[in-house]
Amino acid sequence: MKIKPSYPNYMDIKTYLNEKKQQVENGLEEFMFKAEGPLTEHIKALRYSLFAGGKRVRPILCIAAAETVDQHTDYNTIMPIAVALECIHTYSLIHDDLPAMDDDKLRRGKPTNHMVFGEAEAILAGDGLLTFAFELLTRHNTNQIDPTDRLRIIEIIAKAVGSLGMVGGQALDLASEGIDIDFEQLRLIHSCKTGALITASVQAGAIAGKATPEQFEAMTSYGQLIGLAFQIVDDLLNVEGTKEELGKAVGSDAERQKSTYPAFFGLEKTRTMARETVNLAVTALEDFNNQADSLRELALYIYNRTN
Ligand code: FPP
Ligand code: MG
């Protein structure tokens, strides 16, 4: 069952997401290299996955977090960070789909990067996107973020996607295929593989908006909880979703004997756990006024999503 939005005066989440998504698309188009010159083929591979129609959840979370603490967030300040997060996310999807990892043929409703450009080029496309993200993070075309805060944003994102974060989570996920792990390990895999980048997206936005230490703490809890919920729902959709709606294979987790929440707890209990996790995320924002409604709605959207 869908959780109903509880903020009647707030802009409908679909309208909000469409508006923000369009802004992110414009930012991606502005910053990403054009497919021309001697590197045309390589850049085509980067652009193929980047513009394949993702939901842009991580950049939107970053922008929403910044706007929650600073109503007057300047797009020239926040957009390079938001786009960097989407570049990192897209790199992780390209590499995750490789034959050596999940060996998937469909992503975002299209053939995966290596199916179109070949394995070597897909690896390089991921490498290029990851590296470009850090170039973007150093871009300071406004003075709204002071250098210390910018370094903090870069450090948080680097740690979140490195070996003690997303990369490590992926390593644990692959190593746990076909073997029994306990719930603590499963939670750790989900928090690292998916939660870390989502948490960092919220934290980066909070820092860009000059959050107070208390606001940053609350946003961190919120980010960790929605990050976990995001992967729990991803597990559910791998069982209950359709290939058409998801734009990627369904049933693949069971086929690969992956440790997932539904495998552990069954579908009904998993739904309840996802819902409780999202409710806790909303509770973490209780000290914010209605300025945080976009983040509250985004938490519900993560629970309700069907793709
Ligand atoms: C779907 O995101 C993706 C996830 C739930 C993350 C899964 C984690 C990985 C693939 C980590 C891989 C890491 C490495 C290092 C290879 P989404 O539903 O937001 O997808 P969208 O952007 O297409 O909408
Ligand atoms: Mg996968």
Side-chain angles (χ1 to χ4, degrees):
M1 209 178 82
K2 294 204 182 310
I3 305 178
K4 294 220 174 59
S6 44
Y7 318 102
N9 297 327
Y10 185 71
M11 190 199 285
D12 169 60
I13 185 69
K14 279 212 178 101
T15 314
Y16 176 85
L17 285 175
N18 283 340
E19 188 188 303
K20 292 293 167 210
K21 190 165 184 269
Q22 194 49 55
Q23 288 165 350
V24 173
E25 298 300 330
N26 295 344
L28 286 160
E29 194 53 67
E30 180 184 346
F31 297 130
M32 182 35 67
F33 315 117
K34 305 288 170 276
E36 56 197 18
L39 287 169
T40 296
E41 261 318 282
H42 172 64
I43 297 168
K44 270 189 187 162
L46 307 183
R47 296 183 65 96
Y48 174 81
S49 292
L50 201 56
F51 294 105
K55 297 184 290 297
R56 315 309 192 196
V57 167
R58 294 148 191 84
I60 294 174
L61 280 168
C62 174
I63 296 169
E67 290 182 337
T68 293
V69 284
D70 175 11
Q71 235 181 318
H72 305 291
T73 296
D74 167 21
Y75 272 72
N76 292 321
T77 302
I78 200 68
M79 200 50 81
I81 302 171
V83 167
L85 293 162
E86 187 66 17
C87 288
I88 296 173
H89 168 58
T90 304
Y91 125 74
S92 81
L93 300 182
I94 296 174
H95 282 193
D96 182 57
D97 291 333
L98 285 168
M101 299 215 194
D102 279 358
D103 193 12
D104 273 312
K105 298 187 171 38
L106 195 70
R107 170 73 73 176
R108 292 176 165 173
K110 297 170 82 175
T112 45
N113 197 289
H114 65 271
M115 296 294 289
V116 179
F117 296 94
E119 248 182 275
E121 191 45 71
I123 293 169
L124 290 172
D127 294 342
L129 284 168
L130 174 60
T131 311
F132 181 57
F134 283 91
E135 180 188 330
L136 277 177
L137 290 173
T138 65
R139 200 167 282 191
H140 45 94
N141 42 7
T142 71
N143 291 326
Q144 205 178 323
I145 305 178
D146 69 48
T148 319
D149 283 344
R150 185 170 295 283
L151 275 179
R152 201 166 149 228
I153 289 171
I154 296 171
E155 182 188 7
I156 282 175
I157 295 175
K159 282 184 172 160
V161 300
S163 292
L164 302 186
M166 183 176 74
V167 168
Q170 179 79 347
L172 288 174
D173 184 60
L174 292 172
S176 77
E177 280 178 13
I179 62 162
D180 281 336
I181 58 167
D182 62 26
F183 174 56
E184 275 313 302
Q185 280 172 294
L186 177 64
R187 205 182 144 98
L188 178 69
I189 292 171
H190 280 34
S191 299
C192 290
K193 185 177 82 163
T194 304
L197 179 57
I198 289 180
T199 307
S201 302
V202 176
Q203 290 176 317
I207 296 171
K210 298 189 175 51
T212 63
E214 293 75 25
Q215 288 176 324
F216 183 79
E217 278 315 305
M219 293 259 186
T220 300
S221 301
Y222 163 86
Q224 288 167 340
L225 289 159
I226 57 159
L228 177 62
F230 196 95
Q231 185 58 52
I232 301 177
V233 172
D234 217 69
D235 287 358
L236 277 168
L237 292 175
N238 196 275
V239 182
E240 295 179 316
T242 64
K243 188 171 154 184
E244 289 67 37
E245 205 159 15
L246 284 174
K248 61 183 178 185
V250 291
S252 52
D253 288 343
E255 243 168 66
R256 294 183 69 90
Q257 295 181 286
K258 282 220 188 242
S259 313
T260 64
Y261 271 64
F264 237 87
F265 300 107
L267 291 173
E268 204 175 322
K269 181 141 189 248
T270 300
R271 258 288 152 214
T272 307
M273 290 171 96
R275 192 184 176 117
E276 284 168 358
T277 309
V278 159
N279 286 342
L280 285 173
V282 173
T283 308
L285 300 176
E286 64 192 356
D287 287 342
F288 287 90
N289 59 18
N290 62 3
Q291 203 54 27
D293 283 355
S294 54
L295 289 177
R296 297 185 178 107
E297 291 288 341
L298 279 159
L300 303 194
Y301 164 76
I302 283 169
Y303 174 81
N304 290 327
R305 74 194 179 95
T306 54
N307 75 346

